[in-house]
Amino acid sequence: MFGPIFETFVFSEFGKIGWWNDQRCTFSHFCDKNMSEINIVLENRCGEVPGIEVKASATVHRRTLPDRANWLGPRGSKFVQGLVLYDWDQVMPFG
């Protein structure tokens, strides 16, 4: 049950930032026909798109992350970065 609550919390915090930030980002969610998803997709006024995956886990493994095609999603050419927010205090690069 913690997973959906954590995702909602993160989404609402980004929403707060989005209201006062000069970037004026729009927020959405991406899910493909195979039900693979990106929890939060932002798009700024320049059209740049970072994706944010939220994991309610203290460990994250590459195999549990969306593949590159999903990160690119429908805005492939505008995709700039993928981030994974998870329940731990370490930064882990995934490439």
Side-chain angles (χ1 to χ4, degrees):
M1 232 15 207
F2 181 66
I5 293 169
F6 189 52
E7 288 177 14
T8 301
F9 170 76
V10 171
F11 187 84
S12 68
E13 293 302 304
F14 272 100
K16 291 175 193 176
I17 293 168
W19 284 108
W20 60 263
N21 189 306
D22 290 340
Q23 291 291 317
R24 301 283 189 245
C25 295
T26 58
F27 298 84
S28 60
H29 173 265
F30 174 75
C31 186
D32 69 7
K33 63 183 177 187
N34 298 322
M35 301 306 290
S36 184
E37 65 178 351
I38 302 296
N39 299 123
I40 304 170
V41 178
L42 296 106
E43 185 169 357
N44 66 18
R45 288 190 277 184
C46 297
E48 298 169 321
V49 178
I52 302 168
E53 181 65 13
V54 180
K55 298 287 186 188
S57 173
T59 58
V60 178
H61 301 283
R62 186 178 300 275
R63 69 181 179 278
T64 64
L65 300 177
D67 64 19
R68 182 164 171 75
N70 284 351
W71 282 112
L72 296 175
R75 303 265 199 257
S77 64
K78 301 285 188 168
F79 177 77
V80 293
Q81 186 172 18
L83 303 170
V84 179
L85 297 178
Y86 72 114
D87 191 22
W88 194 247
D89 63 355
Q90 300 292 316
V91 174
M92 295 179 59
F94 283 102

